Amino acid sequence: MEKKNYIVAIDIGSSAIKIAVGSIAPGGAMHIECIVSEPCQEMEAGLVNNINLVGVALRKALKAAEKLAGIAITDAYVSVSGKFMRCARYTDHVFVTDSDNCISQQDVRSLHDRMRNVKAADNEIIMDLFPICYKSEMGVEMKNPVGSYSKQLNATYNFILCEKQAKDRFQRLFMDAGIKIQEMFAGASIISESVVTAEEKEEGVAVVDIGSGVTDLAIYRGGALCYMVSIPIGGDSINSDIHHYSGQIPLSSIEGLKKEYGSAMVSLASNMTINIQKGTRTIATIQSLNLAAIIEARLTDIVEYVWNEIREANLAKKIPAGIVLTGGVANIKNIAELFQRVTGVETRVACAELGLTTESLEEATSPERTMVISLLMHGAQKGATPVGVLQTPHEEIPAKVVTNVETEEDKTQEQPKTLNDKLGGNGNTGTKVTDTTTLKNGGGDEDEEKDDLDTEEEVAPKRSLWGRFTHSLKSSFDRAFQNPDEDYDDDNDEY
């Protein structure tokens, strides 16, 4: 295993578990070692419903990632998304300790410590918190408060909250898989790392990640995450609508159908008949315009949900950098045009590209990989992930047959004639030994040795009539197996 600063990221999605392993290149960029994706079942809107089935998918993904990266994964950064995640704002203040009312770094730390002591509701826990803005006692916003003059320092913090039950399920999932969670993040809070620049965050931008079961929205303003929400709707709803329209289309074929022929806008779709085949047989047909109408209707619902969240956060007019779309559903043609038509805001589709090495850009060509790559980037800021040495299974070494080599000294030694002599005992020990050596046809020394054994065994059986009978019968069978072609007459045997 090469000595590298590895980062391991695991994104638990509604339909798949993605694992990315990266390393920090000499220039500081992220080099992607591998990305694997494993379909998983029993995830509903990002929440684990069946820990056993999800655990099977996680272990399969871990095994594949370890094989590709050549490391043993023991720790990882984790991202989750779902309706069990939300954000909340809280405002507090501290009095400046300096007699001249000059704000110091200690004042900022004191305010942060006060925020860390804020308690969440009984059924929630605080996953993360960070400042949105600082203000003076007069309400003047301060970008960098250290060095500014004010009698008190006010701040508004954004708290990322998660339901306890949901987090407990994820922790148990990874504990069962033998993985230590370095830190767990809300997907919406880290999605921007690889698709949005610092200038766009400062100016104001909304990032929308549309997955299979959850749509994550993150809004940045002034360089800080001002608002985030996970909306429990995604691409699975579109697939379900298509399946209900034409029950003859298998669910397994809908995802490919949607990506290859689908359009988010009927007005921009081509008019053609699409044949769904199973082998050489056509099992269903659908018009491309009908397919586009189904997709447009459901996507319009998603766009409106997103736009309502932006407006309710009072940020509709504070995102001049526009809307950035990513996630698996962003692969649908003309989706950016649909968002722009409904919201009136400039929209683009983005894949992960910021902070990656040139060689790694090929691994990031699909929007559905943006989340796990962004998690890699965010984890790199926190620190490298401990990894182990991958233990490859050793090949079985065939057992070697050891043959005793007879020496001249052995030849001169007296050879034992009886079985008891071979075992180093005497005939009076009373121990019965069963010989399990396979019999072979032939004569010579082997026959002589067998005769010796028979002579030794004649002592005990002949003590009684029944013993004489069994001994004679055994001797007959032995001679028959040793000389199968020889006619044998046992008329002279005594009973």
Side-chain angles (χ1 to χ4, degrees):
M1 182 179 72
E2 297 183 44
K3 292 184 178 180
K4 299 179 181 179
N5 291 323
Y6 287 99
I7 310 294
V8 180
I10 303 178
D11 175 53
I12 306 296
S14 296
S15 62
I17 294 175
K18 296 182 180 66
I19 300 179
V21 179
S23 59
I24 307 300
M30 176 65 68
H31 174 72
I32 298 176
E33 302 286 339
C34 70
I35 297 179
V36 299
S37 179
E38 181 68 30
C40 65
Q41 300 176 349
E42 294 300 326
M43 291 286 296
E44 183 180 355
L47 183 65
V48 177
N49 276 347
N50 187 314
I51 196 169
N52 291 335
L53 293 179
V54 179
V56 169
L58 175 59
R59 285 186 285 272
K60 285 183 179 179
L62 286 169
K63 185 177 181 180
E66 288 178 335
K67 184 176 181 180
L68 291 173
I71 60 172
I73 297 176
T74 59
D75 299 57
Y77 292 104
V78 177
S79 63
V80 296
S81 297
K83 58 184 179 181
F84 48 85
M85 307 288 302
R86 71 182 185 94
C87 71
R89 293 186 180 189
Y90 185 76
T91 301
D92 203 350
H93 71 276
V94 295
F95 290 100
V96 178
T97 57
D98 183 68
S99 58
D100 294 329
N101 298 327
C102 182
I103 300 173
S104 65
Q105 187 64 46
Q106 180 60 42
D107 297 321
V108 176
R109 284 196 294 266
S110 297
L111 182 54
H112 186 73
D113 289 340
R114 284 181 63 87
M115 291 296 186
R116 289 173 62 91
N117 291 328
V118 173
K119 303 297 182 182
D122 291 340
N123 65 330
E124 292 181 318
I125 56 176
I126 299 173
M127 292 188 64
D128 202 359
L129 71 159
F130 36 81
I132 297 176
C133 65
Y134 294 98
K135 291 184 179 180
S136 68
E137 60 179 326
M138 303 302 294
V140 178
E141 189 170 329
M142 298 178 290
K143 181 66 177 175
N144 298 305
V146 178
S148 301
Y149 286 91
S150 177
K151 290 183 180 181
Q152 69 181 36
L153 174 63
N154 302 301
T156 299
Y157 269 60
N158 199 0
F159 288 77
I160 308 300
L161 305 172
C162 177
E163 293 180 7
K164 286 183 179 180
Q165 185 184 48
K167 188 173 183 180
D168 289 345
R169 292 185 187 182
F170 286 113
Q171 288 178 330
R172 180 176 175 181
L173 172 69
F174 281 89
M175 182 177 65
D176 291 347
I179 302 298
K180 179 182 177 182
I181 298 177
Q182 286 286 96
E183 199 166 345
M184 186 182 296
F185 304 100
S189 68
I190 55 96
I191 185 62
S192 66
E193 294 289 345
S194 62
V195 292
V196 175
T197 64
E199 291 76 14
E200 289 174 318
K201 291 181 181 180
E202 185 70 29
E203 189 177 359
V205 64
V207 184
V208 182
D209 178 84
I210 311 177
S212 59
V214 176
T215 296
D216 285 324
L217 167 65
I219 305 174
Y220 289 83
R221 173 78 174 173
L225 178 61
C226 297
Y227 185 76
M228 60 145 277
V229 66
S230 292
I231 306 169
I233 188 173
D236 286 346
S237 299
I238 302 174
N239 295 357
S240 180
D241 292 344
I242 297 172
H243 183 65
H244 286 146
Y245 173 81
S246 176
Q248 295 178 333
I249 301 178
L251 283 172
S252 58
S253 303
I254 291 178
E255 190 65 29
L257 174 70
K258 183 176 64 178
K259 290 182 179 180
E260 186 172 356
Y261 299 103
S263 172
M265 296 181 66
V266 177
S267 59
L268 299 178
S270 58
N271 187 8
M272 60 184 295
T273 300
I274 305 168
N275 296 318
I276 295 90
Q277 294 185 324
K278 185 176 182 180
T280 58
R281 182 170 59 92
T282 299
I283 59 175
T285 61
I286 187 172
Q287 295 295 319
S288 59
L289 293 180
N290 292 337
L291 178 63
I294 298 169
I295 295 174
E296 181 177 350
R298 182 58 68 179
L299 271 180
T300 301
D301 290 342
I302 296 175
V303 178
E304 290 176 349
Y305 278 123
V306 170
W307 187 234
N308 285 337
E309 292 288 346
I310 295 174
R311 287 185 297 183
E312 289 180 6
N314 296 319
L315 295 169
K317 296 182 179 180
K318 297 180 180 179
I319 49 173
I323 298 174
V324 178
L325 300 178
T326 190
V329 179
N331 281 313
I332 298 178
K333 301 179 185 70
N334 307 314
I335 189 171
E337 288 78 3
L338 177 64
F339 261 82
Q340 191 161 335
R341 187 189 70 183
V342 175
T343 65
V345 178
E346 183 178 353
T347 306
R348 65 181 176 91
V349 176
C351 300
E353 57 181 354
L354 301 178
L356 298 177
T357 61
T358 304
E359 298 83 2
S360 298
L361 291 176
E362 295 181 1
E363 297 283 348
T365 55
S366 175
E368 63 188 8
R369 292 184 167 186
T370 300
M371 181 67 79
V372 72
I373 296 176
S374 291
L375 180 59
L376 265 184
M377 307 296 295
H378 194 71
Q381 299 172 19
K382 299 288 184 177
T385 307
V387 297
V389 178
L390 185 63
Q391 298 294 332
T392 56
H394 298 289
E395 294 183 1
E396 291 189 4
I397 301 175
K400 296 182 179 180
V401 178
V402 179
T403 304
N404 293 327
V405 180
E406 188 177 24
T407 63
E408 293 296 329
E409 182 180 357
D410 295 332
K411 292 180 180 179
T412 61
Q413 295 180 356
E414 182 181 357
Q415 298 297 323
K417 296 182 179 180
T418 67
L419 183 59
N420 284 324
D421 290 336
K422 290 183 179 182
L423 296 175
N426 53 55
N428 300 322
T429 61
T431 303
K432 183 177 180 180
V433 181
T434 303
D435 188 8
T436 58
T437 305
T438 304
L439 298 175
K440 296 182 181 180
N441 294 332
D445 295 337
E446 290 184 3
D447 292 336
E448 292 176 5
E449 183 174 296
K450 182 64 182 178
D451 290 338
D452 290 339
L453 295 177
D454 291 342
T455 302
E456 180 71 10
E457 292 175 353
E458 288 179 20
V459 176
K462 290 185 178 180
R463 293 174 182 172
S464 63
L465 180 62
W466 176 253
R468 292 169 58 192
F469 171 75
T470 56
H471 168 74
S472 178
L473 185 63
K474 178 178 182 297
S475 299
S476 300
F477 275 102
D478 288 343
R479 285 193 293 271
F481 279 104
Q482 291 174 4
N483 303 286
D485 297 328
E486 179 181 337
D487 291 331
Y488 178 65
D489 187 1
D490 57 354
D491 291 340
N492 298 325
D493 288 339
E494 296 180 0
Y495 295 94

